[in-house]
Amino acid sequence: MAANSQRGPCEPPAWVEPMLATPDGGRLPSGPDWSFEDKLDGYRCAARVSRAGSVALTSRNGLDLTTEFAELTGPVAEVFAGRAGVLDGEVVAYDEHGRIDFGLLQERRGRHRRRRDLPPRGAGSGVDVRFLAFDLLRLGEDDLLRRPYDERRAMLAALPMPDPYRVGVVRALTYDRLRVERLTPELLLRRAGEAGYEGLVAKLRRSAYEPGRRSESWLKHPLVRTQEVVVCGWRPGRGGLSGSLGGLLLGAHDPVTGDLVYLGDVGTGFSRAQRADLLDALKPLERRTHPFATTPPREDVARALWVEPRLVGEVVYRTFTRAGRLRHTAWRGLREDRSPGEVLAPEDDHTTTASTPTPPPTEDPGTADAPAAADVGPGGRITVRVDGTRLRLSNLDKVMYPATGFTKGEVVHYYTAVAPLLLPRLRGRPVTVVRWPDGVEGQSWFGKNVPAGAPDWLRTVRLAGSGSRDSGAPVEYPLLDDLPSLVWAANLAALELHVPQWTVGPDGAPRPPDRLVIDLDPGEGTTIVDCCRVAERVRDVLVADGLTPLAKTSGSKGMQLYAAIVTDRADAPSTYAKQVAQRLARETPDAVTAVMGKSHRTGRVFLDWSQNNPAKTTVAPYSLRGRDHPTASTPVTWDEVRACRQPAQLVFTAEDVLARMDTVGDLLADLDTTGAPLPARSGG
């Protein structure tokens, strides 16, 4: 932010990528080094104010929110009274009970998206918003990023709030203050839950502000709630879940009228076995119409198939919205000990008191089909049953990503949850894993040969050492074709999964390539934003040649484009990809290179055509990466590629990927149906 001193009086200070909190693993920190803030359920926002009073409101991923929340700009400017400044905080909305309500904020945002001609300053939106600051990053000419948290908070608290209805400061209590009030962090957490907050954020009082980092100086502790639900319908799965159950539509009885009311849906938390079992249980209960007293909104129940409301289940959820919907749901299982008539909807979030801290994932790998029956052995080892196969898991509380506290248990959970989309991209392909037994800050190695002690049920294939048709010492590769195999690999701390662009047949022999891949690698001085601009051009070439290109991030700095192909020559994809890369390099030599040498990549995007060599592998879609944070190689839409203007827009963590499963589905499903011959000039 040093460049701010050169900015004009009307130009707000530069945007600072926000500092992020790390999950606390289910254990709130304690002691005099910590201060505690309420965790808000709103939109993260930086408020940047110039000396002349102009204001820019910027989202966590760099989007401009100024027009959307224009009514906040004047009150925010008044806070600094003619000085420049930057506040970090959240935009929130309140319900009629004075509780922060994310559902109202979503309603307002939906109207804003549908009506870009809203009057200025939020008039007519119907939902008032407030900016709640929790940090001060600049005051006048002073950059405060390196100042201790306590000092920044004291300066924030001293700022005037001329319009507290629009701008305020998040409550913060030091550990010493808690002791004076006869409180503990646990009691404060309980009160936060009763007040309707998302949880607590503990902040190290001596810590600096670390832009763009998910730091252990800030530890977040969200709250999780459970709710019994009546299963009232279901949606068929799509893409990788085609032919299976995609999600459930939920209901409960109104506590006052007794009517069966719609509560929303759930699409995550199921194992493959649970999806199959639920589908078997639901089909005999099918009915033509919905069972609710009032018809749910049409857009909420698209593709729904209705059933008699006889099955009772349980979900975990984060909040219950003003509109009567459960938010952030995950399936826990059927409750055969409950009858539908006993299931009552939450009255609202204002009376809910059963707020429970998220437990550390030490005994449940996620959605294995019988985690409750897990046997805990010595050294923290447990035995679980996954799709009917018994597996021994160990050290699930070992931290794999120290920067975030992401554990091996969470790695197992991620791969279990994403399996419906990942397994179709692994099936039949020999897998090379990259293992980090001591976490991403320790040593790693590529593993091709199945290790000693692998279970006898694991499918393998014996190939030449390179994985190609070339001669070499034989290698026994694993084939991760099912959920037990995937969980087995995750338990080995195999964070990364790499596969070739070809599969093996029933006889174990390699087949011709069925995928073309073009790897876009940003050279020094470029980012994934530059990759996106080049990817758009590559897409045009591939489409003109009759192919159907699909995009994914690498989970690191670059991205890859896939296209399903039909060829009988192993060298054809490399030949074709090299021609495409050389063509774009000729057209724009300052932006693109097809030459592998590092010296040619500075300021350019390298189109790596060599990834199509039969001996090469590419990181699999949905694979985690061994970076500081648990990012994943994530399929993205072409709209997302075209809209990318900040690298953070195409960075997805494991949590982000699981949240996207229900909203975007299987973006690589076309790889199963769009195979096309390579153009004749490629020799394919």
Side-chain angles (χ1 to χ4, degrees), residues 38-42 91-105 127-130 132 189-198 223 225 318-322 347-355:
D38 294 318
K39 189 174 187 299
L40 308 180
D41 196 7
V91 176
V92 300
Y94 293 87
D95 64 13
E96 66 269 27
H97 300 277
R99 305 276 183 115
I100 292 175
D101 189 331
F102 187 81
L104 286 176
L105 205 57
V127 177
D128 288 329
V129 291
R130 188 183 186 204
L132 289 177
L189 178 68
R190 184 181 303 172
R191 290 190 178 184
E194 293 170 352
Y197 291 107
E198 275 202 319
L223 298 170
R225 300 170 180 177
R318 181 71 57 79
T319 54
F320 185 58
T321 71
R322 186 171 180 266
E347 292 186 13
D348 52 41
D349 268 350
H350 323 302
T351 59
T352 302
T353 58
S355 299

Side-chain angles (χ1 to χ4, degrees), residues 23 27-28 68 71-72 96 114 140 255 273 285 287 331 382 451 453 469 483 551 562 582 586 598 632 680:
R27 295 173 291 276
L28 272 170
E68 185 170 349
E71 69 265 45
L72 297 177
E96 66 269 27
R114 290 189 295 269
L285 302 178
R287 54 181 283 168
W331 182 252
I382 66 170
R469 295 166 176 77
L483 184 58
Y562 283 156
Q582 290 175 333
R586 285 194 303 270
K598 292 283 187 183

Side-chain angles (χ1 to χ4, degrees), residues 512-563:
D514 63 347
R515 282 194 326 211
L516 171 79
V517 63
I518 296 183
D519 186 25
L520 294 91
D521 186 4
E524 183 179 349
T526 64
T527 69
I528 196 171
V529 176
D530 302 283
C531 292
C532 288
R533 303 292 78 79
V534 176
E536 294 178 74
R537 297 172 57 203
V538 176
R539 177 183 184 273
D540 291 341
V541 174
L542 300 189
V543 169
D545 284 342
L547 303 179
T548 304
L550 304 170
K552 75 177 181 72
T553 71
S554 69
S556 180
K557 297 179 180 179
M559 63 190 304
Q560 289 98 30
L561 304 186
Y562 283 156

Side-chain angles (χ1 to χ4, degrees), residues 201-280:
V201 180
K203 297 185 176 180
L204 203 59
R205 297 173 63 186
R206 64 176 180 273
S207 62
Y209 191 96
E210 302 173 72
R213 283 205 60 206
R214 191 176 292 278
S215 171
E216 290 191 345
S217 296
W218 290 7
L219 298 176
K220 61 181 179 180
H221 192 114
L223 298 170
V224 174
R225 300 170 180 177
T226 63
Q227 170 68 31
E228 292 173 4
V229 292
V230 180
V231 179
C232 298
W234 62 285
R235 290 191 184 94
R238 289 178 168 178
L241 293 176
S242 180
S244 181
L245 178 140
L248 298 174
L249 291 102
L250 312 175
H253 293 91
D254 186 290
V256 178
T257 66
D259 291 337
L260 186 64
V261 295
Y262 175 66
L263 292 186
D265 59 9
V266 59
T268 61
F270 305 93
S271 70
R272 185 171 62 180
Q274 284 176 321
R275 291 183 191 272
D277 291 345
L278 282 165
L279 201 55
D280 289 342

Side-chain angles (χ1 to χ4, degrees), residues 299-321:
E299 61 272 18
D300 284 8
V301 296
R303 302 190 305 113
L305 300 174
W306 302 112
V307 297
E308 296 293 338
R310 298 178 187 172
L311 298 180
V312 175
E314 187 173 85
V315 298
V316 294
Y317 71 103
R318 181 71 57 79
T319 54
F320 185 58
T321 71

Side-chain angles (χ1 to χ4, degrees), residues 119 166 180 184 220 275 344 358 388 451 497 571 649 676:
R166 291 294 187 191
V180 169
T184 64
K220 61 181 179 180
R275 291 183 191 272
L344 302 180
T358 305
L497 310 175
D571 62 343
Q649 291 176 258

Side-chain angles (χ1 to χ4, degrees), residues 354-655:
S355 299
T356 307
T358 305
T362 56
E363 295 185 9
D364 180 358
T367 54
D369 39 359
D375 301 319
V376 182
R381 292 189 296 272
I382 66 170
T383 300
V384 297
R385 190 175 299 277
V386 180
D387 280 359
T389 300
R390 290 176 66 84
L391 285 170
R392 295 294 298 273
L393 308 180
S394 61
N395 300 321
L396 294 182
D397 58 350
K398 177 182 258 186
V399 174
M400 293 286 102
Y401 295 84
T404 64
F406 201 81
T407 66
K408 191 164 81 167
E410 290 174 290
V411 170
V412 173
H413 168 75
Y414 168 75
Y415 275 122
T416 302
V418 82
L421 302 185
L422 169 59
L423 288 175
R425 308 304 146 219
L426 299 179
R427 194 159 290 126
R429 300 181 194 274
V431 179
T432 298
V433 303
V434 188
R435 295 174 58 187
W436 277 267
D438 297 313
V440 297
E441 293 184 354
Q443 290 187 330
S444 65
W445 67 83
F446 277 81
K448 295 185 178 182
N449 267 306
V450 173
D456 55 11
W457 47 260
L458 180 71
R459 288 190 64 221
T460 63
V461 62
R462 195 172 180 84
L463 298 169
S466 65
S468 71
R469 295 166 176 77
D470 299 333
S471 60
V475 173
E476 196 80 11
Y477 288 89
L479 293 173
L480 305 184
D481 286 344
D482 53 27
L483 184 58
S485 303
L486 191 59
V487 173
W488 167 81
N491 185 56
L492 295 179
L495 302 183
E496 292 190 5
L497 310 175
H498 295 249
V499 292
Q501 312 314 319
W502 45 269
T503 62
V504 295
D507 59 353
R511 292 166 165 163
D514 63 347
R515 282 194 326 211
L516 171 79
V517 63
I518 296 183
D519 186 25
L520 294 91
D521 186 4
E524 183 179 349
T526 64
T527 69
I528 196 171
V529 176
D530 302 283
C531 292
C532 288
R533 303 292 78 79
V534 176
E536 294 178 74
R537 297 172 57 203
V538 176
R539 177 183 184 273
D540 291 341
V541 174
L542 300 189
V543 169
D545 284 342
L547 303 179
T548 304
L550 304 170
K552 75 177 181 72
T553 71
S554 69
S556 180
K557 297 179 180 179
M559 63 190 304
Q560 289 98 30
L561 304 186
Y562 283 156
I565 59 172
V566 177
T567 183
D568 57 5
R569 289 183 51 184
D571 62 343
S574 285
T575 302
Y576 173 74
K578 186 175 183 179
Q579 292 174 350
V580 172
Q582 290 175 333
R583 169 183 164 180
L584 268 65
R586 285 194 303 270
E587 292 175 355
T588 52
D590 292 337
V592 178
T593 180
V595 180
M596 197 167 298
K598 292 283 187 183
S599 61
H600 295 272
R601 301 191 196 182
T602 301
R604 301 178 178 89
V605 173
F606 171 45
L607 292 183
D608 189 354
W609 47 269
S610 72
Q611 293 296 312
N612 295 280
N613 185 306
K616 292 286 192 76
T617 61
T618 307
V619 66
Y622 304 106
S623 171
L624 293 172
R625 301 307 303 266
R627 310 301 180 192
D628 289 343
H629 296 75
T631 55
S633 177
T634 308
V636 293
T637 67
W638 281 107
D639 284 344
E640 289 176 303
V641 172
R642 284 186 284 268
C644 181
R645 293 296 182 271
Q646 296 282 344
Q649 291 176 258
L650 291 186
V651 175
F652 302 97
T653 64
E655 182 180 359

